[in-house]
């Protein structure tokens, strides 16, 4: 079976009342006319997913996660921790309709800069929109069970390591202010 290795991120930032995370609404092919009842029901629902993409040759998976997050959401973010790998099999809708075994490594990333959804026009082929949603309850909004689990791990990590995550980037911005 063909294998694909991708990496992606849960990007978080503090909002007034808790954490927010960045998600994308991927562009999906329009459903076939003969789609069954399940397909029709699915096609009406907005699919939300985590930003991710294929690991390039010579690239570390965490570098891919940061790069794909930048390309698909417009956000610059830094690594906090590895969350987990998810695995799934899908059938290509193009070419020989081959089955693909896919592994995606997800990282928790902390937002640094950039405006969500300010992405290269070429990325619109893949991303309909990128948006911030509250981290609390985000797992219910994501389409895929593997990604829901990743978000639960991010929620748990932020509860047990909130001081550590708050400190990321805080020192460098203080230094920058002092030297101004
Ligand atoms: P990448 O974002 O890694 O470049 P891609 O956009 O080419 O990849 P996927 O996002 O893996 O491909 O989508 C291929 C198929 O797998 C689609 O039918 C999609 O609905 C499905 N899919 C995507 N993510 C998951 C998941 N976490 N669990 C199960 N199926 C998924």
């Amino acid at each position: 079976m063909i294998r694909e290795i991708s990496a992606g991120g849960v990007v978080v930032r503090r909002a007034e009342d808790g954490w927010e995370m960045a998600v994308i609404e991927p562009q999906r092919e329009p459903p076939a006319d003969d789609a069954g009842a399940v397909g029709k029901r699915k096609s009406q629902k907005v699919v939300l997913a985590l930003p991710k993409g294929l690991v390039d040759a010579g690239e570390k998976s965490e570098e891919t996660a940061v790069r794909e997050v930048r390309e698909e959401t417009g956000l610059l973010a830094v690594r906090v921790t590895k969350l987990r790998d998810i695995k799934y099999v899908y059938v290509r809708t193009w070419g020989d309709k081959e089955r693909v075994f896919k592994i995606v490594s997800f990282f928790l990333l902390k937002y640094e800069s950039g405006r969500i959804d300010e992405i290269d026009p070429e990325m619109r082929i893949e991303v309909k929109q990128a948006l911030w949603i509250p981290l609390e309850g985000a797992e219910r909004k994501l389409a895929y069970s593997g990604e829901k689990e990743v978000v639960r791990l991010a929620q748990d990590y932020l509860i047990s390591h909130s001081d550590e995550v708050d400190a990321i980037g805080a020192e460098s911005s203080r230094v920058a202010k002092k030297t101004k």
Side-chain angles (χ1 to χ4, degrees):
M1 211 189 300
I2 297 171
R3 280 172 173 253
E4 281 180 359
I5 312 287
S6 280
V10 176
V11 183
V12 295
R13 71 169 183 188
R14 276 230 185 251
E16 272 174 20
D17 47 359
W19 293 93
E20 290 182 327
M21 64 170 277
V23 291
I24 63 164
E25 184 185 345
Q27 296 278 9
R28 290 282 175 234
E29 291 160 42
D33 287 344
D34 63 350
V38 173
K40 276 190 185 141
R41 198 172 63 231
K42 270 191 181 163
S43 69
Q44 285 163 3
K45 216 179 158 201
V46 173
V47 170
L48 292 182
L50 296 174
K52 62 163 175 61
L54 293 177
V55 177
D56 285 343
E59 198 177 39
K60 284 192 198 157
S61 56
E62 58 186 87
E63 293 166 347
T64 308
V66 169
R67 175 178 59 74
E68 288 288 341
V69 158
R70 177 167 35 77
E71 292 173 0
E72 296 193 340
T73 68
L75 303 175
L76 284 179
V78 290
R79 177 195 197 277
V80 178
T81 191
K82 168 92 183 269
L83 290 169
R84 67 169 290 181
D85 295 339
I86 67 166
K87 295 169 186 151
Y88 54 93
V89 173
Y90 75 92
V91 178
R92 283 186 176 159
T93 51
W94 45 278
D96 290 339
K97 309 227 174 350
E98 285 153 305
R99 277 159 67 82
V100 178
F101 177 72
K102 184 147 185 170
I103 303 176
V104 190
S105 301
F106 280 103
F107 294 84
L108 179 63
L109 306 178
K110 188 176 179 194
Y111 168 76
E112 234 181 26
S113 61
R115 284 173 69 94
I116 197 139
D117 206 37
E118 279 190 4
I119 61 174
D120 193 301
E122 284 176 17
M123 283 308 298
R124 290 291 169 209
I125 300 164
E126 287 178 43
V127 179
K128 211 173 193 176
Q129 61 163 335
L131 60 156
W132 290 110
I133 63 171
L135 183 64
E136 198 184 327
E139 71 284 1
R140 293 196 295 274
K141 296 182 181 154
L142 289 171
Y144 304 113
S145 57
E147 295 193 357
K148 288 172 188 280
E149 185 53 36
V150 167
V151 166
R152 283 191 204 102
L153 291 174
Q155 291 162 342
D156 292 348
Y157 191 89
L158 286 169
I159 289 169
S160 53
H161 296 75
S162 68
D163 289 351
E164 181 195 306
V165 179
D166 278 331
I168 295 172
E171 186 54 33
S172 58
S173 61
R174 263 203 304 279
V175 172
K177 271 183 202 146
K178 267 188 197 166
T179 53
K180 256 188 190 167

